Amino acid sequence: MNIQVLPEHKLSSVAPLKQCNVEKREVELILVKDQNGVQYTSSSIIPTPRHPAGPPGCIEDDRETWGKKIDFLLSVIGFAVDLANVWRFPYLCYKNGGGAFLIPYILFLVIAGMPLFYMELALGQYNRQGAATVWRMCPIFKGVGYSVIIIALYVGFYYNVIIAWSLYYLFSSMTNELPWLKCDNVWNSQNCTYPKALNGSVIGNGTSYAKYKITPAAEYYERGVLHLHQSTGINDLGLPRWELTLCLLVVVFILYFSLWKGVKSSGKVVYITATMPYVVLFVLLIRGITLPGSMDGIRAYLHIDFKRLNNLEVWIDAATQIFYSLGAGFGVLIAFASYNKFDNNCYRDALLTSTVNCITSFVSGFAIFSVLGYMAHKHGVKIEDVATEGAGLVFIIYPEAISTLPGSTFWAIVFFIMLLTLGIDSAMGGMEAVITGLSDDFKFLKRNRKVFTFATAFGTFLIALFCVTNGGIYVLTLLDKYAAGTSILFAVLIEAIGVSWFYGVDRFSEDIERMMGFKPGLYWRLCWKFVSPAFLLFVVIASAVTSSGLKYDDYVFPNWANVVGWGVAMSSMMFVPCYAIYKFCSVQGTFKQRIAYCITPEHEHHLVAEGNIRQFTLKHWLAI
């Protein structure tokens, strides 16, 4: 019997191997000689063991992919375009010099926002892993992955509550007369005052109209929905409100049934949740510009004041807004991209989706300020008196304006459908980052995805109950400030350093070339290595320096609440140093070898044993 083993290159000459899809095998040919001299050949395949980590960019055979390319694009756009595009950007633009604010905003978009967006999409697509296991390329940074997963989970605790508010308002709008139109409701106080009584002469004392909490719309939000008047502070929360609890439960069920089957199900949900806001925004814009005073609002929105650019606060606002608006660092982009086909053009996707996100923010300002102009005209006040941001804009000022229009019920329903869909797909993205990140790391969770998805959704529901109590707004304010503030900026800074410096921009560029057939240009490589880390360092420092104690309107939080807040922030950030220490102590070898194992991709650990350590050469650190 004659045994022949064909070399690897002969195999590839017959059937070229696909990128990382096919396991290398050796073929055993067995020649059997018959009595009449005729030779018969039989063959068998000898599987060869693969390295546990696999080659870089290796594709899992059983990993699902998006049904269509549009599913991925809509999911990314739906996640990035959220409530902040409507309730924060327009006000920031107005406050910080109008059109002049677009200069630092676009600058930071081009030099930092887009490069970070592109980097995360490429990371996820090439490695085919979630936010934690993607760090097989540089194991010591795996704590960054756990950090962003925890942050995404924290955000779900309170973000789902804001969606529940939108759902509550939507149900409340389905009446002939909107409940925030009059003062004779059970939740109104004796001080409730109709807007007509708060004219320009009353407001001229330095308090803007938006700050008055005694209008029917303001009292409906704080007394009718939140029941804030029944709480004295964060130390007096009370029990969860059953109406908001039911709305929160509906939101959690929507999230569960959107995600339980993976991207095959969520990719179809975004056809509604990602496109509906654009339809509604267009309708609201057309209606807004037909209102009296709307042009005054739009002119105020677009006025150009270049002197504002001399103020450092304007640049800090632009930097933080572009960062949070694009959503880099929450592990969502990595998770979504990990379900792409290996050769997908994520470069084009990054440019398209980030541009759409920023254009949406700008256009939404016209829909918002046309209505604010109408409000100012109606009450005889300046635009600055009605201009505000956050929940006060979408749950008080805008609903009040809608209530004065003909067909107000219709416009209210349309507006809150927009808020609901804006929030749902962003919440879906955050939860998918948690599910993908942990299930890729712990395979038993992947095998039981439906159960794990339910546990995650139900867990966020239980914690969120603290935010639907009488004093729930105080808990929400605390989480909003600390859960994803300095902590997410810190995590993304370490992520950028890990990819660009420790793994190497040159190697990362080669990975992208292996996927798409072309290497990123010098501009992108310089941004990844120098500009983006510097930008993130600037934002981290600015965030820490400008940080102040917690406040909600006139209520000042006690000191212990700030301590708890920093505890929440540190609980996610501590994963970075703690895992690095754990990784260093868990590997064997000399001090130098341990460092090498920690910063060398797992599939190259055999090179460490040979003493061939790329990161210990000057060439690695200077490469671009």
Side-chain angles (χ1 to χ4, degrees), residues 107-146:
L107 174 65
F108 288 138
L109 167 67
V110 173
I111 68 173
M114 280 185 175
L116 287 170
F117 203 88
Y118 182 16
M119 182 184 76
E120 290 212 339
L121 290 184
L123 269 181
Q125 181 173 307
Y126 184 79
N127 292 282
R128 305 281 287 171
Q129 296 291 325
T133 46
V134 76
W135 288 104
R136 290 172 179 172
M137 63 182 185
C138 194
I140 199 171
F141 287 97
K142 190 175 182 180
V144 176
Y146 289 131

mmCIF file of all heavy atoms in Angstrom, residues 107-146:
data_model
loop_
_atom_site.group_PDB
_atom_site.id
_atom_site.type_symbol
_atom_site.label_atom_id
_atom_site.label_comp_id
_atom_site.label_asym_id
_atom_site.label_seq_id
_atom_site.Cartn_x
_atom_site.Cartn_y
_atom_site.Cartn_z
ATOM 1 N N LEU A 107 -15.762 70.104 10.947
ATOM 2 C CA LEU A 107 -14.329 69.816 11.123
ATOM 3 C C LEU A 107 -14.126 68.555 11.956
ATOM 4 O O LEU A 107 -13.372 67.650 11.563
ATOM 5 C CB LEU A 107 -13.642 71.008 11.789
ATOM 6 C CG LEU A 107 -12.164 70.797 12.170
ATOM 7 C CD1 LEU A 107 -11.319 70.616 10.914
ATOM 8 C CD2 LEU A 107 -11.651 71.960 13.006
ATOM 9 N N PHE A 108 -14.799 68.470 13.094
ATOM 10 C CA PHE A 108 -14.656 67.300 13.960
ATOM 11 C C PHE A 108 -15.263 66.053 13.320
ATOM 12 O O PHE A 108 -14.803 64.935 13.573
ATOM 13 C CB PHE A 108 -15.292 67.565 15.323
ATOM 14 C CG PHE A 108 -14.505 68.520 16.177
ATOM 15 C CD1 PHE A 108 -15.142 69.512 16.916
ATOM 16 C CD2 PHE A 108 -13.122 68.439 16.238
ATOM 17 C CE1 PHE A 108 -14.413 70.393 17.704
ATOM 18 C CE2 PHE A 108 -12.385 69.329 17.019
ATOM 19 C CZ PHE A 108 -13.022 70.299 17.751
ATOM 20 N N LEU A 109 -16.283 66.252 12.500
ATOM 21 C CA LEU A 109 -16.852 65.115 11.773
ATOM 22 C C LEU A 109 -15.817 64.495 10.844
ATOM 23 O O LEU A 109 -15.637 63.272 10.803
ATOM 24 C CB LEU A 109 -18.082 65.562 10.971
ATOM 25 C CG LEU A 109 -18.615 64.565 9.922
ATOM 26 C CD1 LEU A 109 -19.188 63.339 10.613
ATOM 27 C CD2 LEU A 109 -19.671 65.224 9.036
ATOM 28 N N VAL A 110 -15.097 65.356 10.115
ATOM 29 C CA VAL A 110 -14.158 64.877 9.088
ATOM 30 C C VAL A 110 -12.882 64.313 9.699
ATOM 31 O O VAL A 110 -12.369 63.281 9.254
ATOM 32 C CB VAL A 110 -13.827 66.030 8.107
ATOM 33 C CG1 VAL A 110 -12.734 65.619 7.137
ATOM 34 C CG2 VAL A 110 -15.081 66.437 7.335
ATOM 35 N N ILE A 111 -12.350 64.964 10.738
ATOM 36 C CA ILE A 111 -11.047 64.538 11.264
ATOM 37 C C ILE A 111 -11.154 63.488 12.366
ATOM 38 O O ILE A 111 -10.163 62.818 12.687
ATOM 39 C CB ILE A 111 -10.229 65.733 11.797
ATOM 40 C CG1 ILE A 111 -10.872 66.336 13.059
ATOM 41 C CG2 ILE A 111 -10.037 66.783 10.720
ATOM 42 C CD1 ILE A 111 -10.035 67.391 13.733
ATOM 43 N N ALA A 112 -12.339 63.324 12.954
ATOM 44 C CA ALA A 112 -12.448 62.380 14.069
ATOM 45 C C ALA A 112 -13.686 61.498 13.978
ATOM 46 O O ALA A 112 -13.588 60.281 14.162
ATOM 47 C CB ALA A 112 -12.456 63.143 15.395
ATOM 48 N N GLY A 113 -14.845 62.080 13.719
ATOM 49 C CA GLY A 113 -16.084 61.309 13.698
ATOM 50 C C GLY A 113 -16.084 60.213 12.655
ATOM 51 O O GLY A 113 -16.290 59.031 12.974
ATOM 52 N N MET A 114 -15.859 60.580 11.415
ATOM 53 C CA MET A 114 -15.844 59.590 10.335
ATOM 54 C C MET A 114 -14.729 58.555 10.490
ATOM 55 O O MET A 114 -14.971 57.352 10.291
ATOM 56 C CB MET A 114 -15.746 60.289 8.979
ATOM 57 C CG MET A 114 -17.060 60.842 8.464
ATOM 58 S SD MET A 114 -16.882 61.523 6.803
ATOM 59 C CE MET A 114 -18.588 61.929 6.434
ATOM 60 N N PRO A 115 -13.481 58.972 10.814
ATOM 61 C CA PRO A 115 -12.435 57.956 11.010
ATOM 62 C C PRO A 115 -12.776 56.937 12.095
ATOM 63 O O PRO A 115 -12.532 55.739 11.921
ATOM 64 C CB PRO A 115 -11.208 58.798 11.391
ATOM 65 C CG PRO A 115 -11.432 60.110 10.732
ATOM 66 C CD PRO A 115 -12.913 60.332 10.826
ATOM 67 N N LEU A 116 -13.338 57.382 13.222
ATOM 68 C CA LEU A 116 -13.713 56.447 14.279
ATOM 69 C C LEU A 116 -14.851 55.543 13.827
ATOM 70 O O LEU A 116 -14.866 54.335 14.125
ATOM 71 C CB LEU A 116 -14.120 57.211 15.541
ATOM 72 C CG LEU A 116 -12.988 57.878 16.325
ATOM 73 C CD1 LEU A 116 -13.557 58.795 17.413
ATOM 74 C CD2 LEU A 116 -12.078 56.828 16.952
ATOM 75 N N PHE A 117 -15.796 56.101 13.108
ATOM 76 C CA PHE A 117 -16.926 55.343 12.578
ATOM 77 C C PHE A 117 -16.423 54.258 11.626
ATOM 78 O O PHE A 117 -16.822 53.084 11.717
ATOM 79 C CB PHE A 117 -17.860 56.313 11.843
ATOM 80 C CG PHE A 117 -19.280 55.840 11.716
ATOM 81 C CD1 PHE A 117 -20.208 56.116 12.704
ATOM 82 C CD2 PHE A 117 -19.702 55.136 10.598
ATOM 83 C CE1 PHE A 117 -21.519 55.707 12.585
ATOM 84 C CE2 PHE A 117 -21.005 54.711 10.468
ATOM 85 C CZ PHE A 117 -21.929 54.993 11.464
ATOM 86 N N TYR A 118 -15.542 54.644 10.720
ATOM 87 C CA TYR A 118 -14.943 53.724 9.749
ATOM 88 C C TYR A 118 -14.149 52.639 10.460
ATOM 89 O O TYR A 118 -14.229 51.449 10.128
ATOM 90 C CB TYR A 118 -14.051 54.545 8.794
ATOM 91 C CG TYR A 118 -13.368 53.784 7.692
ATOM 92 C CD1 TYR A 118 -13.746 52.506 7.320
ATOM 93 C CD2 TYR A 118 -12.313 54.386 6.989
ATOM 94 C CE1 TYR A 118 -13.100 51.830 6.286
ATOM 95 C CE2 TYR A 118 -11.663 53.724 5.959
ATOM 96 C CZ TYR A 118 -12.059 52.455 5.624
ATOM 97 O OH TYR A 118 -11.411 51.792 4.610
ATOM 98 N N MET A 119 -13.373 53.034 11.475
ATOM 99 C CA MET A 119 -12.541 52.087 12.203
ATOM 100 C C MET A 119 -13.386 50.998 12.866
ATOM 101 O O MET A 119 -13.057 49.809 12.787
ATOM 102 C CB MET A 119 -11.715 52.814 13.262
ATOM 103 C CG MET A 119 -10.769 51.918 14.045
ATOM 104 S SD MET A 119 -9.890 52.791 15.369
ATOM 105 C CE MET A 119 -11.196 52.925 16.588
ATOM 106 N N GLU A 120 -14.490 51.381 13.492
ATOM 107 C CA GLU A 120 -15.301 50.395 14.191
ATOM 108 C C GLU A 120 -16.012 49.459 13.221
ATOM 109 O O GLU A 120 -16.125 48.253 13.486
ATOM 110 C CB GLU A 120 -16.314 51.094 15.096
ATOM 111 C CG GLU A 120 -15.680 51.771 16.302
ATOM 112 C CD GLU A 120 -16.584 51.766 17.515
ATOM 113 O OE1 GLU A 120 -17.810 51.621 17.340
ATOM 114 O OE2 GLU A 120 -16.072 51.907 18.637
ATOM 115 N N LEU A 121 -16.492 49.982 12.106
ATOM 116 C CA LEU A 121 -17.118 49.112 11.115
ATOM 117 C C LEU A 121 -16.111 48.108 10.566
ATOM 118 O O LEU A 121 -16.419 46.916 10.411
ATOM 119 C CB LEU A 121 -17.712 49.937 9.969
ATOM 120 C CG LEU A 121 -18.948 50.791 10.289
ATOM 121 C CD1 LEU A 121 -19.470 51.458 9.022
ATOM 122 C CD2 LEU A 121 -20.055 49.963 10.932
ATOM 123 N N ALA A 122 -14.901 48.570 10.269
ATOM 124 C CA ALA A 122 -13.871 47.681 9.738
ATOM 125 C C ALA A 122 -13.452 46.636 10.769
ATOM 126 O O ALA A 122 -13.231 45.466 10.431
ATOM 127 C CB ALA A 122 -12.661 48.488 9.277
ATOM 128 N N LEU A 123 -13.334 47.046 12.029
ATOM 129 C CA LEU A 123 -12.966 46.110 13.101
ATOM 130 C C LEU A 123 -13.966 44.969 13.199
ATOM 131 O O LEU A 123 -13.590 43.798 13.245
ATOM 132 C CB LEU A 123 -12.925 46.845 14.443
ATOM 133 C CG LEU A 123 -11.608 47.453 14.906
ATOM 134 C CD1 LEU A 123 -11.810 48.118 16.268
ATOM 135 C CD2 LEU A 123 -10.528 46.402 14.998
ATOM 136 N N GLY A 124 -15.235 45.313 13.262
ATOM 137 C CA GLY A 124 -16.262 44.297 13.402
ATOM 138 C C GLY A 124 -16.355 43.395 12.195
ATOM 139 O O GLY A 124 -16.470 42.169 12.322
ATOM 140 N N GLN A 125 -16.294 43.974 11.003
ATOM 141 C CA GLN A 125 -16.450 43.185 9.781
ATOM 142 C C GLN A 125 -15.277 42.238 9.568
ATOM 143 O O GLN A 125 -15.460 41.085 9.165
ATOM 144 C CB GLN A 125 -16.592 44.121 8.583
ATOM 145 C CG GLN A 125 -16.791 43.393 7.253
ATOM 146 C CD GLN A 125 -17.101 44.354 6.133
ATOM 147 O OE1 GLN A 125 -18.019 45.168 6.239
ATOM 148 N NE2 GLN A 125 -16.346 44.269 5.046
ATOM 149 N N TYR A 126 -14.060 42.700 9.833
ATOM 150 C CA TYR A 126 -12.884 41.861 9.591
ATOM 151 C C TYR A 126 -12.778 40.709 10.587
ATOM 152 O O TYR A 126 -12.516 39.563 10.220
ATOM 153 C CB TYR A 126 -11.606 42.703 9.656
ATOM 154 C CG TYR A 126 -10.361 41.912 9.330
ATOM 155 C CD1 TYR A 126 -10.032 41.634 8.010
ATOM 156 C CD2 TYR A 126 -9.544 41.437 10.336
ATOM 157 C CE1 TYR A 126 -8.895 40.889 7.700
ATOM 158 C CE2 TYR A 126 -8.410 40.696 10.045
ATOM 159 C CZ TYR A 126 -8.090 40.429 8.719
ATOM 160 O OH TYR A 126 -6.978 39.688 8.417
ATOM 161 N N ASN A 127 -13.014 41.009 11.850
ATOM 162 C CA ASN A 127 -12.827 39.998 12.888
ATOM 163 C C ASN A 127 -14.055 39.132 13.115
ATOM 164 O O ASN A 127 -13.960 38.087 13.765
ATOM 165 C CB ASN A 127 -12.422 40.672 14.201
ATOM 166 C CG ASN A 127 -11.048 41.294 14.132
ATOM 167 O OD1 ASN A 127 -10.035 40.621 14.219
ATOM 168 N ND2 ASN A 127 -10.996 42.620 13.944
ATOM 169 N N ARG A 128 -15.215 39.580 12.626
ATOM 170 C CA ARG A 128 -16.442 38.805 12.733
ATOM 171 C C ARG A 128 -16.773 38.478 14.196
ATOM 172 O O ARG A 128 -17.206 37.374 14.514
ATOM 173 C CB ARG A 128 -16.326 37.510 11.938
ATOM 174 C CG ARG A 128 -15.949 37.674 10.478
ATOM 175 C CD ARG A 128 -17.126 38.079 9.640
ATOM 176 N NE ARG A 128 -18.042 36.971 9.455
ATOM 177 C CZ ARG A 128 -19.242 37.087 8.906
ATOM 178 N NH1 ARG A 128 -19.671 38.265 8.522
ATOM 179 N NH2 ARG A 128 -20.036 36.049 8.763
ATOM 180 N N GLN A 129 -16.527 39.445 15.066
ATOM 181 C CA GLN A 129 -16.732 39.240 16.493
ATOM 182 C C GLN A 129 -17.370 40.478 17.107
ATOM 183 O O GLN A 129 -17.361 41.555 16.522
ATOM 184 C CB GLN A 129 -15.399 38.951 17.191
ATOM 185 C CG GLN A 129 -14.707 37.670 16.758
ATOM 186 C CD GLN A 129 -15.450 36.423 17.223
ATOM 187 O OE1 GLN A 129 -16.034 36.402 18.302
ATOM 188 N NE2 GLN A 129 -15.444 35.393 16.391
ATOM 189 N N GLY A 130 -17.905 40.303 18.326
ATOM 190 C CA GLY A 130 -18.476 41.406 19.072
ATOM 191 C C GLY A 130 -17.407 42.250 19.738
ATOM 192 O O GLY A 130 -16.205 42.049 19.533
ATOM 193 N N ALA A 131 -17.841 43.174 20.587
ATOM 194 C CA ALA A 131 -16.933 44.187 21.134
ATOM 195 C C ALA A 131 -15.853 43.614 22.037
ATOM 196 O O ALA A 131 -14.792 44.221 22.194
ATOM 197 C CB ALA A 131 -17.741 45.236 21.900
ATOM 198 N N ALA A 132 -16.074 42.447 22.657
ATOM 199 C CA ALA A 132 -15.079 41.869 23.565
ATOM 200 C C ALA A 132 -14.095 40.975 22.817
ATOM 201 O O ALA A 132 -12.876 41.169 22.891
ATOM 202 C CB ALA A 132 -15.772 41.084 24.681
ATOM 203 N N THR A 133 -14.605 39.995 22.083
ATOM 204 C CA THR A 133 -13.727 39.020 21.422
ATOM 205 C C THR A 133 -13.002 39.591 20.211
ATOM 206 O O THR A 133 -12.083 38.959 19.695
ATOM 207 C CB THR A 133 -14.533 37.779 21.001
ATOM 208 O OG1 THR A 133 -15.740 38.188 20.364
ATOM 209 C CG2 THR A 133 -14.880 36.930 22.212
ATOM 210 N N VAL A 134 -13.391 40.786 19.771
ATOM 211 C CA VAL A 134 -12.658 41.421 18.684
ATOM 212 C C VAL A 134 -11.217 41.715 19.111
ATOM 213 O O VAL A 134 -10.315 41.855 18.272
ATOM 214 C CB VAL A 134 -13.378 42.723 18.245
ATOM 215 C CG1 VAL A 134 -13.139 43.835 19.238
ATOM 216 C CG2 VAL A 134 -12.926 43.153 16.847
ATOM 217 N N TRP A 135 -10.975 41.746 20.429
ATOM 218 C CA TRP A 135 -9.650 42.073 20.947
ATOM 219 C C TRP A 135 -8.708 40.876 21.001
ATOM 220 O O TRP A 135 -7.673 40.936 21.659
ATOM 221 C CB TRP A 135 -9.765 42.735 22.313
ATOM 222 C CG TRP A 135 -10.299 44.125 22.196
ATOM 223 C CD1 TRP A 135 -11.555 44.546 22.481
ATOM 224 C CD2 TRP A 135 -9.599 45.272 21.708
ATOM 225 N NE1 TRP A 135 -11.692 45.881 22.206
ATOM 226 C CE2 TRP A 135 -10.489 46.358 21.731
ATOM 227 C CE3 TRP A 135 -8.288 45.482 21.252
ATOM 228 C CZ2 TRP A 135 -10.130 47.631 21.317
ATOM 229 C CZ3 TRP A 135 -7.932 46.752 20.849
ATOM 230 C CH2 TRP A 135 -8.845 47.808 20.882
ATOM 231 N N ARG A 136 -9.025 39.816 20.306
ATOM 232 C CA ARG A 136 -8.042 38.752 20.108
ATOM 233 C C ARG A 136 -6.805 39.290 19.389
ATOM 234 O O ARG A 136 -5.737 38.709 19.462
ATOM 235 C CB ARG A 136 -8.655 37.613 19.282
ATOM 236 C CG ARG A 136 -9.712 36.808 20.019
ATOM 237 C CD ARG A 136 -10.410 35.827 19.094
ATOM 238 N NE ARG A 136 -11.410 35.039 19.824
ATOM 239 C CZ ARG A 136 -12.260 34.217 19.229
ATOM 240 N NH1 ARG A 136 -12.244 34.079 17.914
ATOM 241 N NH2 ARG A 136 -13.140 33.534 19.943
ATOM 242 N N MET A 137 -6.995 40.402 18.723
ATOM 243 C CA MET A 137 -5.875 41.010 18.004
ATOM 244 C C MET A 137 -4.901 41.682 18.965
ATOM 245 O O MET A 137 -3.746 41.934 18.609
ATOM 246 C CB MET A 137 -6.392 42.043 17.003
ATOM 247 C CG MET A 137 -7.116 43.202 17.654
ATOM 248 S SD MET A 137 -7.753 44.351 16.435
ATOM 249 C CE MET A 137 -8.397 45.624 17.536
ATOM 250 N N CYS A 138 -5.341 42.003 20.165
ATOM 251 C CA CYS A 138 -4.462 42.597 21.186
ATOM 252 C C CYS A 138 -5.100 42.303 22.542
ATOM 253 O O CYS A 138 -5.810 43.135 23.100
ATOM 254 C CB CYS A 138 -4.310 44.095 20.954
ATOM 255 S SG CYS A 138 -2.959 44.844 21.877
ATOM 256 N N PRO A 139 -4.853 41.094 23.087
ATOM 257 C CA PRO A 139 -5.637 40.567 24.211
ATOM 258 C C PRO A 139 -5.706 41.456 25.445
ATOM 259 O O PRO A 139 -6.704 41.428 26.170
ATOM 260 C CB PRO A 139 -4.922 39.244 24.533
ATOM 261 C CG PRO A 139 -4.268 38.848 23.259
ATOM 262 C CD PRO A 139 -3.853 40.126 22.595
ATOM 263 N N ILE A 140 -4.679 42.250 25.704
ATOM 264 C CA ILE A 140 -4.674 43.042 26.934
ATOM 265 C C ILE A 140 -5.772 44.108 26.943
ATOM 266 O O ILE A 140 -6.163 44.610 27.989
ATOM 267 C CB ILE A 140 -3.279 43.702 27.133
ATOM 268 C CG1 ILE A 140 -3.105 44.131 28.594
ATOM 269 C CG2 ILE A 140 -3.091 44.887 26.185
ATOM 270 C CD1 ILE A 140 -1.716 44.591 28.937
ATOM 271 N N PHE A 141 -6.311 44.439 25.762
ATOM 272 C CA PHE A 141 -7.346 45.471 25.653
ATOM 273 C C PHE A 141 -8.764 44.907 25.676
ATOM 274 O O PHE A 141 -9.717 45.637 25.433
ATOM 275 C CB PHE A 141 -7.149 46.287 24.371
ATOM 276 C CG PHE A 141 -5.983 47.229 24.424
ATOM 277 C CD1 PHE A 141 -4.766 46.864 23.875
ATOM 278 C CD2 PHE A 141 -6.086 48.460 25.033
ATOM 279 C CE1 PHE A 141 -3.676 47.717 23.920
ATOM 280 C CE2 PHE A 141 -5.010 49.323 25.089
ATOM 281 C CZ PHE A 141 -3.798 48.953 24.533
ATOM 282 N N LYS A 142 -8.909 43.628 25.982
ATOM 283 C CA LYS A 142 -10.244 43.033 25.985
ATOM 284 C C LYS A 142 -11.150 43.703 27.010
ATOM 285 O O LYS A 142 -12.379 43.729 26.853
ATOM 286 C CB LYS A 142 -10.141 41.535 26.263
ATOM 287 C CG LYS A 142 -11.445 40.784 26.050
ATOM 288 C CD LYS A 142 -11.257 39.287 26.229
ATOM 289 C CE LYS A 142 -12.560 38.535 25.964
ATOM 290 N NZ LYS A 142 -12.389 37.071 26.134
ATOM 291 N N GLY A 143 -10.556 44.251 28.060
ATOM 292 C CA GLY A 143 -11.345 44.964 29.062
ATOM 293 C C GLY A 143 -12.109 46.140 28.469
ATOM 294 O O GLY A 143 -13.165 46.521 28.985
ATOM 295 N N VAL A 144 -11.583 46.727 27.386
ATOM 296 C CA VAL A 144 -12.294 47.808 26.694
ATOM 297 C C VAL A 144 -13.631 47.299 26.171
ATOM 298 O O VAL A 144 -14.659 47.970 26.253
ATOM 299 C CB VAL A 144 -11.445 48.377 25.540
ATOM 300 C CG1 VAL A 144 -12.229 49.425 24.764
ATOM 301 C CG2 VAL A 144 -10.159 48.961 26.066
ATOM 302 N N GLY A 145 -13.601 46.083 25.626
ATOM 303 C CA GLY A 145 -14.834 45.482 25.111
ATOM 304 C C GLY A 145 -15.869 45.291 26.194
ATOM 305 O O GLY A 145 -17.046 45.629 26.025
ATOM 306 N N TYR A 146 -15.431 44.759 27.345
ATOM 307 C CA TYR A 146 -16.362 44.585 28.458
ATOM 308 C C TYR A 146 -16.878 45.939 28.945
ATOM 309 O O TYR A 146 -18.050 46.071 29.330
ATOM 310 C CB TYR A 146 -15.674 43.847 29.605
ATOM 311 C CG TYR A 146 -15.399 42.386 29.315
ATOM 312 C CD1 TYR A 146 -14.150 41.831 29.549
ATOM 313 C CD2 TYR A 146 -16.397 41.557 28.809
ATOM 314 C CE1 TYR A 146 -13.887 40.494 29.283
ATOM 315 C CE2 TYR A 146 -16.144 40.225 28.535
ATOM 316 C CZ TYR A 146 -14.890 39.686 28.780
ATOM 317 O OH TYR A 146 -14.650 38.369 28.513
#
